[in-house]
Amino acid sequence: MTSMTIVEPSVKPGLMAFQASTEDREEVQELILKTARWLHSKGSTQWGNLLKGKDDHNLGGAIARGEVIIFRTSEDHALAGAVILQQQPSAWDRKLWGLDDADSEGGTSVYLHRLVVDRERAGKGLGHELMQWIEQGIRFTGKDRIRLDCIAGNDKLSQFYRQCGYTYRGETDGYNIFEKMLIEM
């Protein structure tokens, strides 16, 4: 299990954050697949492995470890978004960030993967609100930064992360990597 605590369940009026349970898996998987199909329709190869049936970030395992946060509307409990927040770097993270095996047992980073917003709610600033909540609404024991990556050719997504205050740390194997220090509250 992870050592993270939701300290503010309300993302904004009408939207709440929850730690995902195994009962949420199918719904979260479908939201992620819908996003992957949408990305593909826009010409992006990001998350292309999902469309081939490969789950590089092991959603089921991430849910079991308590690493998946879901965002639901208060009104009808509809799934508005989700994110994976890994407290241990995966093989993918170690490769992109140049970490050796000694770094794999912890460190001070949280690795953000698969941030998704329901397409019906997209374009209204919800992604920014979720990113802000990830920094302020949850606490990670012993962690002082969030790291993430995106495909290097996705300029719009890279710009989004910059607008959210993430610092570009370079490109590795065709992926841009970003980092943001967490402010102690």
Side-chain angles (χ1 to χ4, degrees):
M1 283 297 184
T2 62
S3 53
M4 66 179 170
T5 305
I6 294 176
V7 294
E8 176 52 61
S10 178
V11 176
K12 66 177 192 168
L15 189 65
M16 303 293 289
F18 302 92
Q19 213 162 8
S21 69
T22 54
E23 292 80 30
D24 299 309
R25 186 181 188 283
E26 260 186 58
E27 192 178 12
V28 173
Q29 181 72 29
E30 184 52 36
L31 180 60
I32 291 171
L33 285 170
K34 279 171 57 175
T35 303
R37 287 190 289 269
W38 176 79
L39 286 166
H40 182 74
S41 77
K42 299 295 182 190
S44 175
T45 59
Q46 186 137 355
W47 298 5
N49 279 345
L50 286 170
L51 300 177
K52 299 173 187 169
K54 298 176 186 171
D55 181 4
D56 299 327
H57 292 293
N58 184 11
L59 179 63
I63 288 173
R65 289 186 302 274
E67 298 173 335
V68 178
I69 301 295
I70 57 173
F71 304 94
R72 292 194 177 277
T73 61
S74 301
E75 183 179 305
D76 59 3
H77 211 59
L79 185 62
V83 66
I84 299 173
L85 299 168
Q86 296 176 324
Q87 293 187 58
Q88 305 297 324
S90 65
W92 174 262
D93 298 316
R94 285 193 302 273
K95 177 182 161 198
L96 287 182
W97 289 91
L99 306 175
D100 62 27
D101 288 339
D103 296 314
S104 66
E105 290 305 317
T108 61
S109 301
V110 172
Y111 295 86
L112 186 152
H113 295 287
R114 303 279 193 245
L115 176 69
V116 290
V117 171
D118 179 55
R119 298 308 316 151
E120 293 177 21
R121 292 172 171 81
K124 300 172 186 162
L126 182 56
H128 284 278
E129 290 169 333
L130 297 183
M131 292 295 283
Q132 185 175 9
W133 181 88
I134 289 165
E135 296 164 32
Q136 298 173 0
I138 192 166
R139 294 290 173 269
F140 306 93
T141 303
K143 306 296 180 177
D144 66 0
R145 70 196 70 211
I146 296 176
R147 290 178 168 175
L148 54 85
D149 64 87
C150 70
I151 213 161
N154 191 335
D155 294 337
K156 188 173 182 177
L157 189 54
S158 290
Q159 182 61 28
F160 169 76
Y161 291 134
R162 284 185 180 100
Q163 289 172 352
C164 290
Y166 283 74
T167 302
Y168 174 74
R169 294 292 184 202
E171 182 182 326
T172 305
D173 293 334
Y175 289 86
N176 289 340
I177 56 175
F178 293 89
E179 182 176 68
K180 185 171 188 178
M181 299 304 291
L182 295 170
I183 299 170
E184 194 69 33
M185 298 286 191

